[in-house]
Amino acid sequence: PEVPEMEKEDSILREERIGRVSEWIKIACLLIIAIVALGVGLIYLEFLLVPLVLARFCVYLFQPFINFMVGKKALLPRVPWCRIHLPRPLAVLVSFIITFIFIAL
């Protein structure tokens, strides 16, 4: 018995739809596995990530002050003589000393 053309097209469309749905299910499962693996990794690497995040925050916090001491930025934008020209390592050291003094108070 011959299958009518409409049934063949419907079966092909149904198979394509099932294939797309199965691909989305695979992607969703892999995404869930990746999220769980990332969470486990973050838990086990907490001892390493906390100091790195704190260090990046300190860099973000001290960068304007260091740029001022190096001479990249002036204290007053239109006053050219209002710049300090220190070497960068010395500027970092000075900013740390000022920060520790501020924390100690």
Side-chain angles (χ1 to χ4, degrees):
E2 279 190 33
V3 180
E5 284 293 320
M6 288 297 274
E7 288 183 18
K8 285 182 183 178
E9 291 177 9
D10 286 343
S11 66
I12 292 172
L13 288 175
R14 189 177 311 120
E15 288 175 10
E16 287 178 3
R17 196 174 299 145
I18 289 172
R20 277 188 263 143
V21 169
S22 66
E23 286 295 319
W24 279 106
I25 290 173
K26 289 177 190 177
I27 291 171
C29 289
L30 287 174
L31 185 64
I32 290 170
I33 290 170
I35 289 172
V36 168
L38 181 67
V40 169
L42 287 175
I43 289 170
Y44 282 114
L45 293 176
E46 179 183 5
F47 71 95
L48 180 69
L49 294 175
V50 169
L52 288 176
V53 169
L54 286 175
R56 184 63 193 148
F57 176 71
C58 289
V59 167
Y60 179 74
L61 191 66
F62 298 142
Q63 193 66 42
F65 186 61
I66 292 171
N67 284 342
F68 165 69
M69 288 193 297
V70 169
K72 288 184 178 180
K73 300 281 184 178
L75 183 62
L76 302 171
R78 295 191 177 102
V79 182
W81 56 266
C82 191
R83 289 181 186 259
I84 301 174
H85 295 286
L86 293 176
R88 191 164 193 84
L90 185 61
V92 171
L93 183 67
V94 169
S95 68
F96 280 148
I97 290 171
I98 291 173
T99 303
F100 290 136
I101 289 172
F102 182 74
I103 290 173
L105 295 177

